[in-house]
């Protein structure tokens, strides 16, 4: 199964294995990754699953939808060009090794 590495603001990292068909947010919450709140449960309504996609991976993700784009404007931490909502990243086999950086806050 594809693995994802989450890098915390202090530089620590957690590498987790995902299950088929889940989002990066679902994988993170299932593994208890600090820094992903996911208050809306993945319904693209809260922006508390904000992540910064590692530059080496950003271009390989599907484009941001209009809904995700609007929500990212309301994220608690600064929005950067590589900001995404982790609930909108479906972890496909092609994303094995994906690296996501966690913002310093979600609320
Ligand atoms: S979990 Fe709420 S927008 Fe991603």
């Amino acid at each position: 199964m594809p693995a994802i590495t989450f890098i915390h603001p202090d530089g620590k990292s957690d590498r987790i294995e995902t299950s088929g068909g889940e989002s990066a947010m679902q994988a993170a919450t299932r593994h208890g990754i600090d820094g992903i709140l996911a208050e809306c449960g993945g319904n693209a309504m809260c922006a508390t699953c904000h992540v910064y996609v590692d530059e080496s991976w950003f271009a390989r993700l599907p484009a941001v939808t209009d809904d995700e784009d609007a929500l990212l404007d309301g994220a608690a931490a600064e929005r950067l060009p590589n900001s995404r909502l982790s609930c909108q990243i479906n972890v496909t086999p092609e994303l094995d090794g994906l690296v996501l950086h966690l913002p310093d806050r979600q609320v």
Side-chain angles (χ1 to χ4, degrees):
M1 291 297 173
I4 307 176
T5 297
F6 288 91
I7 299 180
H8 298 266
D10 65 1
K12 291 182 190 164
S13 63
D14 287 309
R15 185 176 188 275
I16 62 172
E17 300 287 329
T18 67
S19 299
E22 69 182 349
S23 68
M25 176 280 282
Q26 288 171 319
T29 55
R30 191 164 56 77
H31 286 86
I33 299 293
D34 287 338
I36 297 288
L37 298 184
E39 289 177 343
C40 78
N43 291 309
M45 295 175 67
C46 71
T48 62
C49 64
H50 179 203
V51 292
Y52 301 118
V53 178
D54 194 84
E55 300 291 347
S56 62
W57 284 94
F58 190 74
R60 294 191 241 178
L61 297 185
V64 175
T65 64
D66 289 345
D67 287 346
E68 182 179 357
D69 185 52
L71 267 175
L72 282 167
D73 283 342
E78 181 183 8
R79 180 178 183 175
L80 299 177
N82 59 336
S83 286
R84 294 297 302 259
L85 297 178
S86 58
C87 71
Q88 302 302 301
I89 301 173
N90 291 319
V91 186
T92 60
E94 293 74 27
L95 295 183
D96 182 34
L98 178 66
V99 178
L100 301 174
H101 299 260
L102 294 160
D104 60 1
R105 63 189 187 282
Q106 294 286 10
V107 291

